[in-house]
Structures are given as structure tokens and as C-alpha cells.
Amino acid sequence: MTNRAMIIGGGIAGPVTAMALRRAGIDSDVYEAYGRGADGVGAFLTLAVNGLEALRPLGLYDLVCDLGMDTPRMEMSNGSGRLLASVRQPGRTLKRADLYRVLRDEAVRRGVRVHYGKRLTDAEATADGVRAVFADGSAAEGDLLVGADGLRSRTRTIIDPGAPRARHVGLLNTGGLARGVTVPGTPGTNHFIFGRRCFFGYLIAPGGEVWWFANPPSPREPTPEELAAITPERWRARLEELFRDDTGPMLDIIGATEHILPGWNTYDFPTVPKWSDGRMVIIGDAAHATSPSSGQGASMAIEDAVVLATCLRDVPGTRDAFAVFERLRRERVERVVAQGRRNGSGKAPGAVRAFLRDLTLPMIMRQVDKRNSLAWMHDHRISWDDRVTTAAG
């Protein structure tokens, strides 16, 4: 019987996994690399309806459902101001730091121990479990180890030293919160603008604040040092140059933003061949990072956490439980990664592809809306009560 798990990573996947395992009868400790929590970190994200619903079996839905705002629709326009599509996009958009905070605090309230300043450097199987070693020289042992340590997962490379690197998708990210500016649209609608040289997204919060992001194209992957060297003033100047020939509120929003966030790269993983090794397993972005264009990164991590817990609850033997978890999840998450790749490909397409996009996207999105062709993504539900078996299929 598995009695204790070590969870590497204290973002979204880590605390949710800890609470899911606790419901399955497995205690756990969360080890976070940074010396503090994620309060104030990051911009905002969308939890799709499938991710929100995956929180219900853990009693977490009510904690999250009032954060941020409902975002039931998205509207897409081009840089000339032409509306290309208006379609349903069920979900809730919230500040990333708020989500981190409520999940971490609830995990602690339920008895999960969170250890800060614990950056994993190595892990190895022992006679009856796994031993983790951290950069500060400390170590810990448990019956199993879950790598919820994100895109640059150390757990992934411990499991498979030959694991592929994340794929840079040719886009950067920045954004911010604008105040005191009036822009077109209704609160809760995601507005996406395919500018001539840069993609832009914004939504109006109920109080009038405008949450926004931009995806400047970058065929080359900048180093973290290069990105850190770009000051907010340089970002502002660059964005103003990118959008100066476009129709839309982009320049007004940027001008009303006091602090523009530091930039970061956009990545995905087309596939990660090996998810587990005996008593270690990876979940969330560590196993299947998807482009933000999918709107599913956090939701996939939450689904993973619940499915992993049910597998460990129902399938005898850690190795077999991990194998069943992978069987249940791999096809779905890789389909989501592929969808995110397709969504992002139109953000910096060049003149010819932009013309074709503007010509075909309205028809495609009308069919998506009419046929609900993304139901496979949004209507997926995770059951806690159904028993997991080792049977194929």
C-alpha cells in the first residue's frame, strides 16, 4: 500500500495532486523550488469548463468558481478591424497568482506539507520507495515521486535522460493590466486580434480593468538572459511599433498600462516518450506542455491530478498504476497539444497565409460553433466514482 508521495512543484498541478492523493488515502509533501509561494507571479489564464469540472470531485470548484470572471465567448478580428468570428468558448479567466494562492492554502488547510527552497537535483529508487535529493543538500524519501515541475522538469530528465526538449513555437509573451481606458467590447468576452505583425488579446474585467497579452513573433528562441535584459520601456516601444499600423485599441491599452510584464518564450511538447519509471511519474506541463493558444494548460494538469489519484487508488502496484494513467491520458493530451499548435500557427503567418486565414477562418469558426466540434475538449469529464481497471481500451 502506498502511504506517502513526494510531489515536486508547487504551482497548480502540485497542490491539486496532493489533495487528490489525499482523497485516495495517500499523504504527500509538496517540494517547491522557489523560496516562497507563487503570490504575485504571472499574469492570467483561462480555466476551461472541463478543468473547472475536474475540480468538483476534490471539493475545489467552489473555491475557484468566483475568482476572475466568466469568459463564455471569444471574438477574433484582423489588423484592419474586420470581425472574423464570434464563437462560444466556455471557461473562466482568472489571475494566475489568485489560483496558486487558493489551491496552496486549501492544500495546507487539508494537511499537505509544503516545503520551499527545495529544487530537485536527483532522485533514485530505493529498496521500497524513492529518494529525492535537493540543491540545498537535503533529501527526502517516499513511496513514490510525482514530477509536477513544469516545462523544464528535472523529474522528466531523471526518468529519461534522453527526453526531448520543449519546442519553441516562434512566439514571445508579454502583457499587463490597463486602467482608466475605455475599449470596445463587453466584460467577459475574449477579444483576439490578428495584427499585421503581432497577435493581441484582451478582455474587460467587470470593474473596467483591461487584462491583455501580446505575442510578438520570434523565429529565434531568446535566452532567459536576453529576455530579462528587455526593460518594460523597451517592451512598450517595441509593441507600439508592432501595432502602429493596425486598427484596434492596442495602443490605447498599452499606453494605459503602468507596468508591462517581463517577456517569456512560448513552448509546447509534441510528445514525451516516457512518463514514468517504476516509482516516478510526470504530469501536467512536465509531460505534455501545450501552447497557451489551446487554453487548456491548467485544465490538463488538473485532469491529470485526478486521474493519477484514481489510478493509484484502484490499480495494484505503482508501476502498473502509472502505466494505466498514461494509457488513459496520453491520447487526449497530445490531441490538445496539436490543437494548440494549430491555433497558434495563425498568429504570425506572413502576408499570404494571413490573407488565406482571413478568407477561411470565418467559415471554419461558424462550423466549429454550429457543430460544437471542440466538444471532445470542453465536454470531457473526470469521474471519481468509476473504478479504474488495468483492462485495455
Side-chain angles (χ1 to χ4, degrees):
M1 173 65 184
T2 298
N3 295 312
R4 179 160 297 282
M6 297 182 292
I7 300 172
I8 309 301
I12 294 171
V16 176
T17 301
M19 289 183 275
L21 292 179
R22 192 170 183 84
R23 184 169 181 196
I26 302 169
D27 289 334
S28 58
D29 289 71
V30 174
Y31 296 90
E32 167 57 43
Y34 295 99
R36 57 181 177 85
D39 302 70
V41 173
F44 57 91
L45 59 82
T46 296
L47 269 182
V49 64
N50 51 289
L52 285 165
E53 290 298 323
L55 292 170
R56 284 192 189 274
L58 306 180
L60 297 172
Y61 180 89
D62 290 343
L63 286 175
V64 173
C65 68
D66 291 330
L67 298 175
M69 70 199 88
D70 279 329
T71 45
R73 296 198 69 79
M74 66 174 174
E75 294 188 351
M76 292 178 281
S77 305
N78 65 13
S80 299
R82 175 189 165 201
L83 180 66
L84 301 176
S86 178
V87 297
R88 291 169 292 173
Q89 186 198 43
R92 192 162 187 89
T93 302
L94 61 163
K95 293 179 180 178
R96 185 180 296 270
D98 289 343
L99 183 59
Y100 283 155
R101 173 179 50 78
V102 297
L103 293 176
R104 177 205 59 203
D105 290 354
E106 181 62 12
V108 171
R109 190 190 70 80
R110 296 185 186 189
V112 175
R113 290 172 291 274
V114 181
H115 309 269
Y116 295 105
K118 299 294 181 181
R119 183 175 298 278
L120 182 71
T121 57
D122 202 3
E124 60 181 359
T126 64
D128 54 2
V130 59
R131 182 175 187 267
V133 179
F134 302 99
D136 64 0
S138 65
E141 294 191 12
D143 296 293
L144 62 90
L145 184 148
V146 180
D149 44 352
L151 188 76
R152 294 176 176 81
S153 170
R154 174 60 183 154
T155 311
R156 181 178 60 241
T157 57
I158 292 171
I159 290 173
D160 179 10
R165 292 183 68 249
R167 176 176 61 182
H168 188 250
V169 302
L171 297 169
L172 305 180
N173 292 271
T174 186
L177 306 175
R179 298 178 176 89
V181 62
T182 300
V183 297
T186 56
T189 296
N190 274 308
H191 297 272
F192 298 139
I193 301 168
F194 294 95
R196 291 174 175 83
R197 289 177 289 176
C198 186
F199 185 82
F200 191 88
Y202 74 92
L203 65 159
I204 306 167
E209 190 176 58
V210 179
W211 301 6
W212 65 274
F213 70 91
N215 293 141
S218 179
R220 186 182 68 84
E221 177 185 351
T223 67
E225 293 76 18
E226 288 173 326
L227 288 171
I230 304 175
T231 64
E233 291 74 21
R234 285 177 59 195
W235 273 119
R236 189 183 306 277
R238 181 177 180 185
L239 293 171
E240 289 173 347
E241 172 63 21
L242 287 170
F243 292 116
R244 65 181 172 84
D245 296 324
D246 288 325
T247 297
M250 294 80 79
L251 295 180
D252 291 338
I253 292 172
I254 294 166
T257 302
E258 181 179 355
H259 176 67
I260 295 179
L261 292 173
W264 64 99
N265 286 305
T266 304
Y267 299 95
D268 69 6
F269 265 112
T271 187
V272 175
K274 194 172 182 181
W275 286 14
S276 64
D277 181 14
R279 292 181 178 270
M280 291 183 279
V281 67
I282 50 175
I283 67 169
D285 282 356
H288 47 73
T290 178
S291 165
S293 299
S294 73
Q296 284 283 336
S299 296
M300 289 297 101
I302 292 167
E303 287 186 5
D304 278 359
V306 180
V307 173
L308 177 63
T310 59
C311 290
L312 288 166
R313 178 195 66 190
D314 297 340
V315 179
T318 303
R319 184 182 297 273
D320 288 342
F322 290 165
V324 173
F325 164 72
E326 181 175 344
R327 172 173 61 80
L328 293 174
R329 295 296 294 162
R330 181 180 283 276
E331 181 179 356
R332 172 168 171 76
V333 300
E334 291 189 352
R335 189 178 180 189
V336 169
V337 171
Q339 182 68 44
R341 182 75 171 181
R342 287 192 293 272
N343 292 351
S345 65
K347 290 184 175 181
V352 174
R353 290 180 62 192
F355 173 79
L356 294 174
R357 178 202 63 212
D358 292 355
L359 185 67
T360 60
L361 187 62
M363 178 181 63
I364 293 171
M365 296 310 295
R366 279 196 299 271
Q367 291 301 311
V368 167
D369 208 29
K370 180 179 179 180
R371 298 178 180 176
N372 197 19
S373 59
L374 293 180
W376 66 270
M377 186 185 297
H378 298 125
D379 292 351
H380 187 78
R381 297 294 180 267
I382 304 295
S383 172
W384 184 266
D385 296 325
D386 292 345
R387 306 299 292 182
V388 177
T389 70
T390 57

